[in-house]
Amino acid sequence: MEHAASALSPLHLFLQAGPVAKTVILMLLVASIWCWVLIIESTWAVTRLRKAIESARLNGDHADANLLSPIAEAGRQAASLSMPGESLGEARTRVTEAMDRAAHHLLNGIEGGLPNLAVISSVSPFVGLFGTVWGIMVSFSAIAAAKDTNLAVVAPGIAEALAATAIGLAAAIPATIGYNRIGASLARAGQALQHLIEEQAITFTAHRGAEPRPAGEAR
């Protein structure tokens, strides 16, 4: 019994597998590790963004590890420009657009790993399925060569097939959950950031409302 259990251990299955099965298993293991790296990295980035937004709204601090400072700086630069004949609403819109562009650049950097999670979640099951089909083909070949349907002849190929399927699911399931959860968290953070930008655009352009109209301007 102990020998049978050790023969079906993941390490033994990998060592006894053929070159194709080993390649499939290694690819899926790399995808699984990469998946967790992306999940941890994206979760940390979204959490940092949410904390920076909360800090900025509560304390007016945009310099949280320089995360939001490019957005605030873009707003200040746009607000410092004076366009002839520009109304307060037009100036506010221009400042908001400048801050939006900086925010989009920030969000694009944070969500950089999400497309890779989507690829892992969609491709890994098919790679595992390829390993499954290959293992079954190996099993049938072993049956044909040995002219025997004994379980000992079929088991190694079936075990390789099931191992590839299991590893493929182990990579795909966390990637799918991570993609959906992190994507939803990033969307909520993006909405909060947009609200912050609108508030700051009002602050940056508030001084324009107090400016006197030029002499001779139509009332």
Side-chain angles (χ1 to χ4, degrees):
M1 182 66 67
E2 293 181 359
H3 176 72
S6 62
L8 293 178
S9 66
L11 179 59
H12 183 80
L13 290 175
F14 176 77
L15 294 177
Q16 296 299 319
V20 175
K22 285 182 178 178
T23 301
V24 170
I25 292 174
L26 286 176
M27 289 175 59
L28 292 174
L29 284 175
V30 171
S32 180
I33 295 173
W34 189 25
C35 164
W36 283 107
V37 170
L38 292 174
I39 289 175
I40 295 172
E41 182 182 51
S42 299
T43 301
W44 177 79
V46 173
T47 301
R48 183 166 171 247
L49 174 62
R50 292 175 61 181
K51 289 182 178 180
I53 294 172
E54 292 175 1
S55 176
R57 298 193 71 173
L58 293 176
N59 307 319
D61 180 15
H62 288 275
D64 184 1
N66 295 324
L67 187 61
L68 299 183
S69 57
I71 300 176
E73 184 61 26
R76 294 190 187 96
Q77 291 181 359
S80 65
L81 298 177
S82 179
M83 301 294 180
E86 185 180 47
S87 66
L88 176 61
E90 292 171 341
R92 190 166 295 163
T93 299
R94 179 169 53 80
V95 171
T96 301
E97 291 176 350
M99 298 178 72
D100 281 340
R101 288 191 292 270
H104 289 160
H105 180 74
L106 173 63
L107 293 176
N108 287 338
I110 293 177
E111 69 180 7
L114 289 183
N116 294 325
L117 282 178
V119 171
I120 294 174
S121 67
S122 60
V123 173
S124 293
F126 292 101
V127 176
L129 179 61
F130 172 78
T132 300
V133 173
W134 188 266
I136 294 174
M137 291 172 57
V138 170
S139 298
F140 280 118
S141 299
I143 292 174
K147 298 181 181 180
D148 185 4
T149 59
N150 191 295
L151 184 60
V153 177
V154 182
I158 297 298
E160 292 178 17
L162 296 178
T165 301
I167 298 174
L169 293 176
I173 292 174
T176 302
I177 296 175
Y179 176 80
N180 291 328
R181 294 297 298 272
I182 295 172
S185 297
L186 185 59
R188 289 193 296 269
Q191 292 177 352
L193 181 59
Q194 183 61 40
H195 295 161
L196 176 64
I197 288 174
E198 293 173 356
E199 294 172 3
Q200 292 300 318
I202 294 174
T203 302
F204 290 151
T205 57
H207 67 282
R208 290 177 176 265
E211 292 180 355
R213 292 176 179 271
E217 183 177 331
R219 298 181 179 180

